[in-house]
Amino acid sequence: MSATDTARTALARRREEPPTATLLDLIERQKPGIEAALAGAIGAERFARVVTTEIKRNPKLLECAPDTVLGCLMLSAQLVLEPGPLGHVYLVPFRNAGKMECTFILGYRGMIELARRSDRLGLIRAATVYEGDLFEYEERQSGPKLLHRECKPTDRGEIICDYALATVRVGPRMLVPHVRRLWPEELEAARKRSQLGRKNEGPWQTDEIAMRHKTCVRRLAAYLPMTAHFARALDADEGAV
């Protein structure tokens, strides 16, 4: 058999390989490097199980270049966040220059989880305000004043705004509140800046309220205590589509 025939045979076998096996084989081949990169955050065997579970949950990941899926999953593991139902991280297939790639998108709950890892953070939450709610917000020299009393779901009406609220410790007993309120047109502008948002794909399509809350928390991030993991996640998310 000639070298050309051998190459063609190898290529044909490669095409016949199940995409799942290809990705898992990549993980197996790079297991020592994965173990070193994860630095004890999660074991390689556990990591492989997370990969398998996420592929079953989102089969379109098999259409992505395996190295992009692996890279997103390794970043999630290093941040000690798991993709999946918890909403910490979204792994979204996205076509870029004709090539399907996996994109890392930090979820609202993942952002909250990372912020809470600082002992300087008191509380943090985000919420949507509806017409039927009692809502008062005022910026004062002494700090923001916010009152939000939610109505019953049947009495909500239209969305008025979304906001994020956090309190940060600046001393042994002193908590300073910070609020970021965004109007619907501001959130719509944020959605349109996202390629996935413009296409109504990914978490903007499946978890819109969570993405609205995430946008508010992200606008609040400058006032939040920043850990290394939090900063790295925000940086990775900044480059997401």
Side-chain angles (χ1 to χ4, degrees), residues 117-130:
R117 291 177 187 173
S118 169
D119 57 8
R120 290 185 54 224
L121 186 71
L123 67 85
I124 185 168
R125 69 182 296 263
T128 299
V129 180
Y130 296 89

Side-chain angles (χ1 to χ4, degrees), residues 115-174:
R116 283 177 173 159
R117 291 177 187 173
S118 169
D119 57 8
R120 290 185 54 224
L121 186 71
L123 67 85
I124 185 168
R125 69 182 296 263
T128 299
V129 180
Y130 296 89
E131 285 180 324
D133 294 348
L134 173 62
F135 181 73
E136 297 178 4
Y137 176 65
E138 180 183 359
E139 285 284 356
R140 302 181 300 180
Q141 187 174 0
S142 59
K145 176 185 177 183
L146 187 148
L147 171 64
H148 183 198
R149 185 173 298 135
E150 297 180 348
C151 66
K152 296 188 296 184
T154 52
D155 298 333
R156 281 177 173 170
E158 297 296 320
I159 291 177
I160 300 299
C161 64
D162 293 75
Y163 69 89
L165 164 68
T167 58
V168 179
R169 291 186 177 89
V170 295
R173 298 183 180 179
M174 186 176 180

Side-chain angles (χ1 to χ4, degrees), residues 2 32 45 56 83 101 116 126 129 156 166 190 198:
S2 67
E45 298 300 328
K56 289 179 180 178
E101 298 179 346
R116 283 177 173 159
V129 180
R156 281 177 173 170
R198 287 197 299 271

Side-chain angles (χ1 to χ4, degrees), residues 39-58:
I42 179 175
E45 298 300 328
R46 167 68 176 157
F47 181 77
R49 289 197 296 272
V50 170
V51 173
T52 303
T53 300
E54 189 60 14
I55 288 173
K56 289 179 180 178
R57 200 182 69 86
N58 187 1

Side-chain angles (χ1 to χ4, degrees), residues 82-90 105-111 207 210:
E82 280 197 22
L86 290 178
H88 284 174
V89 172
Y90 299 95
I105 296 181
L106 183 62
Y108 160 66
R109 292 180 179 86
M111 190 173 287
D207 297 284

Side-chain angles (χ1 to χ4, degrees), residues 108 111-112 124 126 164 213-221 224:
Y108 160 66
M111 190 173 287
I112 293 291
I124 185 168
H213 291 176
K214 170 193 167 180
T215 303
C216 292
V217 174
R218 181 160 196 120
R219 300 288 178 87
L220 196 64
L224 300 178

Side-chain angles (χ1 to χ4, degrees), residues 6-241:
T6 301
R8 286 174 177 171
T9 300
L11 180 60
R13 288 176 180 171
R14 177 75 171 178
R15 288 172 177 167
E16 292 172 359
E17 289 180 355
T20 306
T22 302
L23 180 56
L24 293 178
D25 285 345
L26 177 61
I27 293 172
E28 184 64 28
R29 290 196 302 271
Q30 298 188 8
K31 185 176 287 187
I34 291 172
E35 290 276 16
L38 296 181
I42 179 175
E45 298 300 328
R46 167 68 176 157
F47 181 77
R49 289 197 296 272
V50 170
V51 173
T52 303
T53 300
E54 189 60 14
I55 288 173
K56 289 179 180 178
R57 200 182 69 86
N58 187 1
K60 284 190 175 182
L61 289 173
L62 294 176
E63 301 174 19
C64 299
D67 60 319
T68 65
V69 181
L70 180 61
C72 289
L73 283 162
M74 286 187 66
L75 176 57
S76 300
Q78 288 166 350
L79 296 172
V80 199
L81 297 175
E82 280 197 22
L86 290 178
H88 284 174
V89 172
Y90 299 95
L91 303 183
V92 182
F94 184 76
R95 190 169 296 280
N96 182 25
K99 178 183 177 182
M100 191 68 81
E101 298 179 346
C102 179
T103 302
F104 173 96
I105 296 181
L106 183 62
Y108 160 66
R109 292 180 179 86
M111 190 173 287
I112 293 291
E113 166 64 22
L114 291 171
R116 283 177 173 159
R117 291 177 187 173
S118 169
D119 57 8
R120 290 185 54 224
L121 186 71
L123 67 85
I124 185 168
R125 69 182 296 263
T128 299
V129 180
Y130 296 89
E131 285 180 324
D133 294 348
L134 173 62
F135 181 73
E136 297 178 4
Y137 176 65
E138 180 183 359
E139 285 284 356
R140 302 181 300 180
Q141 187 174 0
S142 59
K145 176 185 177 183
L146 187 148
L147 171 64
H148 183 198
R149 185 173 298 135
E150 297 180 348
C151 66
K152 296 188 296 184
T154 52
D155 298 333
R156 281 177 173 170
E158 297 296 320
I159 291 177
I160 300 299
C161 64
D162 293 75
Y163 69 89
L165 164 68
T167 58
V168 179
R169 291 186 177 89
V170 295
R173 298 183 180 179
M174 186 176 180
L175 287 170
V176 175
H178 298 281
V179 177
R180 193 68 174 91
R181 177 185 60 183
L182 294 178
W183 300 104
E185 54 268 29
E186 293 178 294
L187 289 160
E188 178 64 12
R191 183 186 70 82
K192 287 182 177 179
R193 283 193 293 271
S194 160
Q195 294 185 56
L196 288 170
R198 287 197 299 271
K199 294 182 178 182
N200 200 30
E201 297 177 358
W204 276 106
Q205 191 268 329
T206 59
D207 297 284
E208 182 184 357
I209 293 295
M211 290 299 288
R212 294 167 70 95
H213 291 176
K214 170 193 167 180
T215 303
C216 292
V217 174
R218 181 160 196 120
R219 300 288 178 87
L220 196 64
Y223 303 98
L224 300 178
M226 194 63 56
T227 64
H229 278 174
F230 196 9
R232 186 179 181 193
L234 291 178
D235 183 62
D237 191 60
E238 187 68 31
V241 291

